[in-house]
Amino acid sequence: MGPEDAAPPPPHFLAIQDVLDSPRAIGRLINVIGVVMDFRAPIPSRHGADWKCEIRLFDRSIEWDEEDCLSMHIFRPQDQMPDVRCGDVVVIYQAKVQRFGAQNISLCSNIATDIHIYRHEKIGPPPSNALSALEPSSRVVKRKPGLAEHEYVSNLYHKIDKKRLPTEEKFVTMKVQSLNVKDKFRELKDVRDGVFSDILVQLVKDPFDTGDKMTLWVSDYTENPAFHEYTAADAPIISNEARDGDVYGYTTRFSKPVGIDSGWKGPMGKRSMQITCWEPHAAALRAHKVSHKSWVFLRNVQVKHGHNGINLEGFLRGDRGASGLKINAHIVDPATCVDVVLAPRLKSARTREKELERATKQQQKVVAEAALAGQKRKEMMSSNAEPTTLNAKARRRATRAAEKAAKAAEAQGEPLANLNQQVKCENANKLATTIADMLKPTQFTQTIGEQDVVQTLPFINANHRVAVRVIDFRPNKLEDFARPQKRSSEYDLLSDGGGNDSESDDDETPHSTDAWEWAFCLKLQDMAQVEGAEKGAAWVAVDNMSAQCLLHLDASDLKANPGGLELLRQRLFLLWGNVEECKGAQGQAPALATITNRPFHCCVRQYGVKVPEGDADKADAGLGLRWERVFALFGTKIVAV
């Protein structure tokens, strides 16, 4: 409600608060009077030859609320557009009440709408009326304000709290800036890192809703080389039982899904992008019950590399405009979409979808026919084949081949027995390597002129499967294995949180200590069984996601959570045996002879990071920087928990 001394609007007019609070009024024609607080100058519209402008109004019913205002969208020929100034009073007849998507209620002009403008500097104080301030209309009108409207305009302008009005200079600046409209629409094949984009996409699987945000997997059926590549072998497990902060299902990939279809149903190849939507956009999507196959139009999506630093992802955060938080997520119904810009784009995307479906079905048909033909040939060969028995010479040859293969496996550092069966890793079909081989420098030969030049690379991007045991760890105390999440700004939250975002807002915000993450290192040693073989050792980092997968535990303040600390100690005992007991009280490395544990297979990723370098001759990563090779654990899990 407005102030108690606020005069009611004239007969047949509504207060702005009543308009904003009346969803049932949507579609009706109403009359309203308000004070101008913002004006977006006319620009060509997407609806034929008309131009478009927007006036934002408030009156005494909402003067106390700094967020509320009523937007009036006007579509007219350019020569009939109104020209308002800051603080002018506008009388509107027969405007249509509308709501687009989940945005606030607004007004829209139509053929019956009449608009009258009173110049604020000419409005006299009550009891005089404002007739002398009324500007001539830019078009022929059917309704003109009477004495009641003139008196109300005078009362409204002189009694309303003008603190909500911007200065004249700021008002003019905002008006000029409103003309700087650029089309940010891009197909997914054209999105790139660091660029905000408007996209029209289809959900290729059901969204993952965590309550405070929603994760979408979308496609417009164009390819982008920076997207994750999906193949027929992909089967991401995404369910309501996913662990906190693990929308990819990394920590559940070792277990079988129960009661859900975990197969990837989206387009194969690099045609899909993950988008994380925070409030209020998530609420808008939730209200419309978006699901697999829904089409959505998303505005101002921030595109940048995700956690893995390889693939592009999208982030739709809070976007605050002059009228409060804007809803940038809108549902598009292909059956009813008549927008002159969106409709042809939607048609193109649906055409690509159908063409891809036809090509996929044809490919599946060819594969099925080939498999059937192969099966028939196999059956024919097996029916005509005669059983054979190896003679003594062939048996000896097979035995020698098996012994040779066993020795080769040992030389590759593949322990043949005594493996720790309580630890499993991905890529079990990949040939294992050794830490010693990982640490060997990689050389690259290139021809300069007519001479071959050999260059030693500081690192390579590669994944390895190794057979190792743990011989040391950092930090020295298990309670320091978890730390508060480091967030230098709200943009670093990615899929771990939300916040307001814009293209120009890069202010730093202090990080929160409410969330914790895993961060520790393990020193791994080769377990090659060949006598005299070199046993390499290397430190590997374990980040939050890899630790969740390894331990099946979420990070917490272990100093304040003795139960969680004891559970962590029990899990790690399954991994490293008595390493913690052998480690010195002052953090000295355990003596190798005292360590009792069993080797296990794990996956290790090799990559490079930039570190400061004072020697200019060694600065191979830029001014004052050099590349340093590092290793990180991934895809490994303690299964006996």
Side-chain angles (χ1 to χ4, degrees):
M1 294 183 61
E4 295 181 357
D5 64 339
H12 310 298
F13 282 82
L14 294 177
I16 291 179
Q17 182 71 67
D18 295 334
V19 178
L20 297 176
D21 292 344
S22 301
R24 294 182 180 179
I26 294 176
R28 291 174 49 195
L29 299 179
I30 66 165
N31 305 329
V32 71
I33 302 176
V35 179
V36 177
M37 59 182 294
D38 189 15
F39 178 52
R40 297 192 175 185
I43 58 174
S45 76
R46 300 181 297 188
H47 302 279
D50 279 348
W51 284 51
K52 173 189 175 182
C53 73
E54 180 183 347
I55 303 174
R56 290 177 178 170
L57 308 169
F58 75 111
D59 64 9
R60 298 203 68 188
S61 67
I62 61 169
E63 64 180 339
W64 51 273
D65 191 336
E66 295 183 357
E67 297 291 335
D68 278 347
C69 71
L70 180 64
S71 295
M72 174 67 188
H73 301 275
I74 303 171
F75 295 89
R76 288 181 177 177
Q78 184 180 10
D79 59 351
Q80 297 180 13
M81 278 293 175
D83 183 22
V84 297
R85 304 169 188 170
C86 182
D88 287 351
V89 180
V90 179
V91 177
I92 302 173
Y93 291 94
Q94 298 296 287
K96 185 178 180 180
V97 181
Q98 65 174 8
R99 170 177 278 167
F100 179 60
Q103 293 186 0
N104 291 334
I105 287 177
S106 62
L107 302 180
C108 183
S109 66
N110 58 84
I111 194 171
T113 304
D114 291 328
I115 301 174
H116 301 277
I117 301 170
Y118 293 79
R119 293 300 181 201
H120 67 278
E121 66 272 14
K122 298 180 181 180
I123 300 176
S128 63
N129 64 55
L131 176 60
S132 59
L134 181 61
E135 289 286 293
S137 179
S138 59
R139 56 180 285 172
V140 178
V141 296
K142 297 180 180 179
R143 302 168 188 81
K144 294 183 179 181
L147 179 61
E149 287 80 7
H150 299 326
E151 292 177 347
Y152 179 76
V153 167
S154 177
N155 185 285
L156 173 64
Y157 177 75
H158 285 282
K159 291 190 177 182
I160 198 168
D161 186 354
K162 297 181 178 60
K163 291 181 180 178
R164 291 193 61 183
L165 294 177
T167 63
E168 186 68 29
E169 293 77 10
K170 185 176 181 181
F171 182 87
V172 173
T173 300
M174 292 190 297
K175 178 181 175 180
V176 173
Q177 288 177 345
S178 68
L179 295 173
N180 298 328
V181 179
K182 61 179 180 180
D183 185 9
K184 295 193 291 184
F185 180 83
R186 291 178 177 84
E187 293 180 343
L188 292 187
K189 65 182 177 64
D190 298 321
V191 301
R192 58 185 187 273
D193 183 29
V195 177
F196 286 73
S197 303
D198 300 341
I199 57 176
L200 176 63
V201 290
Q202 184 182 44
L203 274 68
V204 294
K205 65 179 297 181
D206 287 331
F208 181 72
D209 192 350
T210 60
D212 62 329
K213 61 181 179 293
M214 183 180 291
T215 302
L216 311 178
W217 289 265
V218 301
S219 177
D220 66 359
Y221 304 96
T222 61
E223 284 194 277
N224 190 311
F227 288 174
H228 174 74
E229 182 171 13
Y230 287 98
T231 65
D234 279 300
I237 300 174
I238 306 295
S239 72
N240 291 332
E241 298 177 355
R243 296 170 62 80
D244 181 28
D246 184 25
V247 297
Y248 291 101
Y250 288 147
T251 60
T252 56
R253 67 173 61 183
F254 295 91
S255 60
K256 295 182 179 180
V258 179
I260 62 171
D261 183 1
S262 60
W264 173 254
K265 296 182 179 179
M268 297 302 166
K270 299 183 177 184
R271 293 182 173 89
S272 301
M273 180 171 71
Q274 175 183 313
I275 299 179
T276 304
C277 304
W278 281 274
E279 301 296 351
H281 319 295
L285 296 170
R286 196 178 297 118
H288 286 84
K289 299 180 180 179
V290 294
S291 59
H292 182 217
K293 292 295 185 179
S294 295
W295 285 91
V296 293
F297 181 52
L298 306 177
R299 294 179 181 272
N300 209 36
V301 177
Q302 182 189 18
V303 179
K304 61 180 179 179
H305 287 99
H307 275 309
N308 62 10
I310 300 174
N311 304 126
L312 291 180
E313 296 181 15
F315 305 92
L316 189 57
R317 311 177 193 271
D319 191 357
R320 184 172 296 278
S323 59
L325 286 174
K326 296 192 293 185
I327 305 297
N328 289 334
H330 308 288
I331 310 304
V332 178
D333 186 353
T336 60
C337 180
V338 294
D339 189 286
V340 295
V341 174
L342 282 184
R345 291 169 175 172
L346 177 61
K347 182 179 179 181
S348 298
R350 298 188 72 194
T351 300
R352 291 192 297 268
E353 177 192 11
K354 292 180 180 179
E355 291 175 350
L356 182 61
E357 285 181 355
R358 283 196 294 265
T360 302
K361 289 180 180 179
Q362 181 63 26
Q363 184 180 12
Q364 291 173 346
K365 181 180 178 181
V366 172
V367 172
E369 290 176 350
L372 180 60
Q375 181 65 26
K376 289 182 178 179
R377 287 195 300 270
K378 183 177 180 181
E379 291 175 356
M380 292 177 61
M381 293 176 63
S382 62
S383 63
N384 296 329
E386 297 181 358
T388 58
T389 303
L390 294 178
N391 56 28
K393 184 176 180 180
R395 287 197 299 272
R396 288 194 297 272
R397 188 184 300 115
T399 301
R400 286 195 296 270
E403 292 174 351
K404 184 177 179 180
K407 291 181 179 179
E410 291 180 6
Q412 288 291 335
E414 186 89 38
L416 301 180
N418 200 33
L419 272 177
N420 187 347
Q421 299 300 322
Q422 295 175 319
V423 182
K424 301 292 184 182
C425 75
E426 301 173 5
N427 305 303
N429 60 330
K430 301 296 183 181
L431 185 64
T433 185
T434 63
I435 298 289
D437 287 339
M438 281 171 40
L439 295 175
K440 291 179 180 178
T442 301
Q443 293 184 333
F444 175 72
T445 302
Q446 57 182 340
T447 302
I448 300 178
E450 298 181 354
Q451 184 178 5
D452 289 340
V453 177
V454 179
Q455 181 180 8
T456 301
L457 302 180
F459 70 95
I460 59 173
N461 291 317
N463 295 335
H464 311 273
R465 189 172 74 93
V466 293
V468 294
R469 66 168 182 164
V470 179
I471 59 173
D472 200 358
F473 59 85
R474 296 174 183 165
N476 296 322
K477 297 181 179 180
L478 297 192
E479 50 264 47
D480 295 326
F481 273 33
R483 68 186 183 190
Q485 282 188 343
K486 292 184 177 180
R487 296 176 178 175
S488 60
S489 75
E490 57 196 19
Y491 308 133
D492 293 335
L493 301 179
L494 300 179
S495 55
D496 292 332
N500 293 334
D501 202 357
S502 68
E503 293 188 61
S504 59
D505 182 10
D506 56 3
D507 295 337
E508 292 191 354
T509 56
H511 65 76
S512 168
T513 59
D514 295 336
W516 291 75
E517 63 180 358
W518 296 110
F520 56 92
C521 297
L522 302 176
K523 190 172 185 180
L524 306 180
Q525 182 191 51
D526 280 328
M527 287 300 295
Q529 292 188 339
V530 176
E531 184 177 355
E534 179 186 2
K535 290 187 177 182
W539 284 98
V540 299
V542 186
D543 64 13
N544 187 53
M545 194 65 70
S546 298
Q548 284 184 336
C549 178
L550 176 70
L551 303 169
H552 204 66
L553 293 173
D554 289 324
S556 63
D557 184 359
L558 298 175
K559 296 179 181 178
N561 183 9
L565 178 61
E566 182 58 30
L567 185 57
L568 172 65
R569 179 171 284 109
Q570 294 174 9
R571 298 281 168 90
L572 290 174
F573 178 78
L574 299 175
L575 179 74
W576 65 32
N578 67 342
V579 171
E580 183 184 9
E581 289 81 357
C582 296
K583 194 172 178 69
Q586 302 301 321
Q588 303 94 326
L592 297 182
T594 64
I595 296 177
T596 303
N597 55 19
R598 292 191 294 170
F600 56 87
H601 283 135
C602 67
C603 295
V604 175
R605 176 180 295 113
Q606 178 186 167
Y607 58 100
V609 297
K610 295 180 179 180
V611 297
E613 176 57 61
D615 188 345
D617 294 335
K618 298 180 180 180
D620 55 1
L623 183 62
L625 297 172
R626 66 173 172 82
W627 287 109
E628 182 173 293
R629 178 169 56 178
V630 292
F631 301 96
L633 188 78
F634 75 98
T636 307
K637 181 179 178 65
I638 301 172
V639 296
V641 296

